[in-house]
Amino acid sequence: MNMTRKSFLGLSTRAALAGHRCFGFGGAKCSVYKGIPIGVITYSYRSMKPGAGKTLEYVLGSDLSTIELMSNDVEIDAGAPMNKLSWKMSKEDKAALAAWRLTVDVKRFEEVRAKYEAAGVSVHIVKFGDIGSKGLSDAEMDYRFKVARAMGAGTITREIPDPKNIPGWWEAEGKRLAAFADKWGVNIAFHNHLQINATTYDGPLLGYSKRFMINYDIGHFTAANDTDPLDMVRKYHDRIVSIHIKDRCTKANGQKNLPFGEGNTPLNGLFALMLKEGWKFPCDIELEYKIPEGSDAVKEVGICNAYCRKGIGV
């Protein structure tokens, strides 16, 4: 039986460390449960005040030890000229950020990584949503891979190209993106929203490069399709590098985002399947339901973390 949010309000966020592999213990509570890393994409904290050191503070407040770090989060920590989320910046501020990116010393990001490591938090993905976009110069492309490497991340995430025009995308931008991924030894994982269906990855996309992988959003799949979202995990488990976890309703139930345990996404089924098969790709919480009055994103991500830990059986 799925547990509701109320069931978790009194749960301790204590992590059971024994027998689990964790990146470190320097302040973070281990969120690797029976070999399954439960983390967070820092988009979950978009309602919180941005600022240097804030993202790490929020992750630790949710008792997590692994993250998918969005570019604006790491850049703020590295001293970028920005005091708000990148998608809320003015045209002039975006130009200043672009200029900063081409002059900043990569050591700034190594210092940011050191702070995360000292706190016991690993960065397994950096998200640059525009990676591979038309118009980015070689220097701008290199910058994005330099940041990922400096942060210790083996993957950069971006959106799936238009499924109706993937061959055209490959000829225009994909070949170049694959070449940069090979050059830097960093994977590109494609994230889905509601454009996903059971055959999206059956086309040529993954075959274009051994470094093209999947960042699967199981909640969005649930909202967009009538088929079992676990079938995608069974089929593509060898190309999935991470899963975004949220609890969305099916189309018949309005496609709403709800607290974990209240929607139609089979999160506990996902954990059971991963445990059965020994699959250990990170599952990152993406908080998209409405935050209840009196709570905040840090508390809610912590509640989601507790739900996952309980579902895994820890």
Side-chain angles (χ1 to χ4, degrees), residues 145 148-149 153-156 180-188 211:
F145 285 97
R149 286 286 297 271
T155 301
I156 294 174
F180 272 91
D182 286 339
K183 172 185 173 181
W184 286 97
V186 173
N187 293 327
I188 301 296
R211 293 205 172 274

Side-chain angles (χ1 to χ4, degrees), residues 44-57:
S44 296
Y45 303 116
R46 64 196 177 279
S47 62
M48 306 296 291
K49 183 179 179 180
K54 287 291 187 180
T55 298
L56 179 57
E57 175 187 324

Side-chain angles (χ1 to χ4, degrees), residues 123-200:
V123 179
H124 63 96
I125 289 173
V126 173
K127 182 178 180 64
F128 278 102
D130 63 351
I131 192 76
S133 297
K134 186 177 181 180
L136 287 181
S137 68
D138 286 359
E140 289 172 318
M141 289 281 281
D142 278 330
Y143 165 80
R144 286 153 174 75
F145 285 97
K146 285 179 183 178
V147 172
R149 286 286 297 271
M151 292 302 299
T155 301
I156 294 174
T157 48
R158 57 152 287 162
E159 190 73 10
I160 300 173
D162 183 353
K164 298 178 182 178
N165 190 36
I166 285 177
W169 169 85
W170 169 249
E171 291 298 329
E173 289 98 25
K175 284 183 180 179
R176 182 167 176 251
L177 180 57
F180 272 91
D182 286 339
K183 172 185 173 181
W184 286 97
V186 173
N187 293 327
I188 301 296
F190 296 94
H191 173 69
N192 65 275
H193 281 91
L194 296 179
Q195 81 276 55
I196 188 73
N197 62 53
T199 63
T200 295

